[in-house]
Amino acid sequence: MSSALAHSAARGAFFTLAAQVAKIVLQFLSVIVLARLLSPHDYGLLAIVLVVVGVGEIFRDFGLTTASIQAPVLTRGQRDNLFWINTAIGVVLTIAMFFLAWPIEAVTGEPEIVGMVHWLAVLFLLNGLATQHRANLARDLKFKAMAVIEVSAAAIALTVAVVSALLGAEYWALVAQQLTSGVVVLAGSVIAGRWLPRWYSRQDSVRDLISFGWNIVATNLLVYTGSQIDTIIVGLKFGTSPLGLYNRAFQLVMTPLSQVRSPTKNVALPVLSRVQEDAPRFDNYVTAAQLLLGYGLGIPLILVTALADPIVRVMLGPQWLGAIPIVALFAVAGLLTTLSFVGYWVYLSRGLGKQLFRYTIVTTIIKIICIVVGSSFGVLGVAVGFAVAPAISWPLSLFWLSRVTPMPTARLYAGAARILIVAALTGSAAWGAAQLVSPAGSVLMILAGIFAGLVAAAAPLILPIYRRDARNLTGFLRLMLKRQPRP
């Protein structure tokens, strides 16, 4: 991986991951501070509204971000047209969301939710305006600018939320946080992109891009349905306070994971799209990406599983102890979904929108069945179903993908097996060490668990296959940190 493209990928990964680390720190600060200033009921209200917002966001984007990045050639006129399409969709969704406030209130029985919906509807307009500006930054590989924008938005939004909460704004602090982030992202993307769209032109057809985007919309709707079915069931079946508890556990684990994992698509998609015709090179990139994600995210996630008890006590406080087993199960689910995440990149980079949609139908059905069955046993049962679903779907994912496009399937299965072995060793050692020092308190449990877990994670390096994985990862890290010489 010594080419200029490999270097761009590595540097892009560096800036993306650095930004996500910063965002995770801010997310943890948000969890720690706001969980002590706001109630589970406040978070339950926001969780309900964001379910609806999330559905609208899928249509607002309409898959045109991916279509724009993935397109081998994108003219200035096509980019202008995509901007106006995303903006128009954003306006329509803002109006529709405004009038949905009263039906949502009728379903939930929460009168406070009307004002929240009215204000959060503005997110559709802000994000519609920003969509193609952000896609343009990704297409031009301006990952540093994207990183600065994302971190700045998270930091400013958190500051606004904390100040608002301290002033007694309650759930309005969470609304202010969401809106502030949207405003900062829009402003930053416009400034960094240095591009202002012209008026819509019929001479530049975007029909193929919209066709590709529609398949992504259908896929994302299925994925979103599967990802939100747990929130919907907990909210409707158990109420806003249990939902707030469930949501805080989700925010503690899955939101930071998503903040690291999802933006890597902005690096992987343009890179894999450019090398898709070079099969050996493509396979090497995919297998290296799985190892980077698997080890880089899998080890921290299994540490969270093993140390869920002291982590919740330190980060959330005593009123959130019911979230402990839910946090542990979310971390397991995060590890399993990460192993198959590179397959998603392959579908997108090779333009396999229809095939991705068909596969997603199957995995969504599996997830819904697991969660619905689990809900019979309470909120914890929902979390169990959430973790069981990827355990069933992950082995299926690579097999399914190998049937529609050439894939280094055997290498990916073998790499995943090695990652799981390291995760098992890490988690066992961390849990055991934490239990030994439990009388000394939660903080020492976390420190001892992390130390023992990392030592156990390094133990497999006595085997040649793990040393080879380590060399590949350190080589990629060197590319991330190395500046590319100017031509």
Side-chain angles (χ1 to χ4, degrees):
M1 296 180 63
S2 58
S3 67
L5 182 59
H7 187 272
S8 295
R11 290 292 285 174
F14 170 76
F15 288 121
T16 300
L17 292 176
Q20 301 319 308
V21 168
K23 288 179 67 178
I24 287 173
V25 172
L26 292 169
Q27 176 68 30
F28 284 158
L29 288 174
S30 176
V31 169
I32 293 170
V33 177
L34 293 179
R36 287 165 170 80
L37 296 174
L38 304 174
S39 69
H41 176 69
D42 294 331
Y43 280 104
L45 290 173
L46 180 69
I48 292 171
V49 179
L50 290 185
V51 168
V52 183
V53 171
V55 175
E57 277 294 290
I58 294 173
F59 286 101
R60 190 272 312 157
D61 180 82
F62 208 78
L64 298 181
T65 296
T66 301
S68 176
I69 297 172
Q70 187 271 342
V73 176
L74 186 73
T75 67
R76 168 69 186 271
Q78 287 176 319
R79 185 173 58 183
D80 296 334
N81 291 350
L82 292 178
F83 168 84
W84 289 111
I85 291 172
N86 281 130
T87 300
I89 295 173
V91 171
V92 171
L93 288 172
T94 296
I95 296 171
M97 182 74 172
F98 183 91
F99 288 104
L100 276 174
W102 292 280
I104 295 172
E105 179 199 10
V107 171
T108 62
E110 300 288 348
E112 307 103 313
I113 218 162
V114 173
M116 294 181 71
V117 172
H118 285 166
W119 278 101
L120 289 175
V122 179
L123 287 174
F124 294 126
L125 176 59
L126 296 174
N127 293 340
L129 291 167
T131 299
Q132 288 306 314
H133 288 285
R134 299 182 70 185
N136 187 46
L137 291 174
R139 186 176 176 85
D140 291 342
L141 306 182
K142 293 182 178 179
F143 302 116
K144 183 177 180 180
M146 295 175 68
V148 171
I149 292 168
E150 291 178 4
V151 174
S152 299
I156 296 171
L158 174 58
T159 302
V160 170
V162 171
V163 171
S164 300
L166 288 171
L167 294 175
E170 298 181 326
Y171 56 84
W172 288 110
L174 301 174
V175 174
Q177 185 178 25
Q178 298 287 325
L179 292 174
T180 301
S181 177
V183 170
V184 175
V185 167
L186 171 60
S189 300
V190 172
I191 293 170
R194 298 180 181 179
W195 161 66
L196 293 177
R198 300 171 299 183
W199 189 241
Y200 193 96
S201 172
R202 294 182 179 274
Q203 296 179 349
D204 295 276
S205 175
V206 292
R207 180 178 300 176
D208 291 341
L209 297 172
I210 293 176
S211 177
F212 178 81
W214 172 246
N215 285 304
I216 301 302
V217 168
T219 298
N220 287 343
L221 279 174
L222 283 173
V223 171
Y224 190 74
T225 300
S227 67
Q228 295 299 323
I229 189 66
D230 53 338
T231 298
I232 294 171
I233 288 177
V234 173
L236 294 179
K237 197 169 183 178
F238 305 111
T240 54
S241 291
L243 177 58
L245 192 74
Y246 188 89
N247 178 260
R248 280 299 81 195
F250 190 93
Q251 293 291 324
L252 191 62
V253 179
M254 301 304 292
T255 296
L257 174 62
S258 178
Q259 287 175 340
V260 171
R261 196 173 61 183
S262 297
T264 57
K265 182 187 75 172
N266 294 332
V267 178
L269 183 55
V271 172
L272 292 178
S273 296
R274 295 185 188 187
V275 300
Q276 59 182 298
E277 301 300 328
D278 186 344
R281 196 177 180 196
F282 185 91
D283 290 352
N284 287 336
Y285 278 33
V286 170
T287 52
Q290 184 201 48
L291 293 176
L292 181 63
L293 287 177
Y295 287 122
L297 299 180
I299 291 174
L301 284 167
I302 206 65
L303 288 173
V304 171
T305 297
L307 304 173
D309 188 311
I311 287 174
V312 170
R313 292 178 186 275
V314 169
M315 298 197 68
L316 299 182
Q319 67 172 326
W320 300 89
L321 296 184
I324 291 172
I326 302 174
V327 166
L329 289 165
F330 278 152
V332 171
L335 169 59
L336 294 173
T337 56
T338 296
L339 293 177
S340 60
F341 198 70
V342 293
Y344 176 61
W345 296 346
V346 174
Y347 278 113
L348 296 181
S349 63
R350 286 186 166 163
L352 301 173
K354 292 181 180 179
Q355 293 83 352
L356 176 60
F357 175 67
R358 296 186 187 117
Y359 166 72
T360 305
I361 292 175
V362 176
T363 57
T364 302
I365 291 173
I366 291 172
K367 187 171 186 179
I368 291 174
I369 291 173
C370 290
I371 289 173
V372 170
V373 171
S375 69
S376 301
F377 303 94
V379 175
L380 184 59
V382 174
V384 171
F386 189 95
V388 169
I392 298 172
S393 301
W394 168 68
L396 175 66
S397 63
L398 294 181
F399 171 76
W400 186 294
L401 188 56
S402 68
R403 301 296 297 269
V404 298
T405 190
M407 281 286 292
T409 307
R411 292 168 62 185
L412 291 173
Y413 276 130
R418 296 196 299 275
I419 292 167
L420 289 175
I421 290 171
V422 170
L425 293 172
T426 302
S428 300
W431 183 85
Q435 297 308 305
L436 287 175
V437 301
S438 58
S442 297
V443 173
L444 189 58
M445 288 177 69
I446 294 173
L447 295 176
I450 291 174
F451 177 77
L454 293 179
V455 170
L461 290 174
I462 62 174
L463 300 176
I465 187 66
Y466 282 102
R467 290 200 296 272
R468 187 180 68 184
D469 286 348
R471 285 194 298 270
N472 289 337
L473 294 178
T474 54
F476 188 78
L477 290 173
R478 283 195 294 269
L479 278 176
M480 289 171 61
L481 298 173
K482 180 182 178 181
R483 290 183 176 274
Q484 189 172 11
R486 293 181 180 275

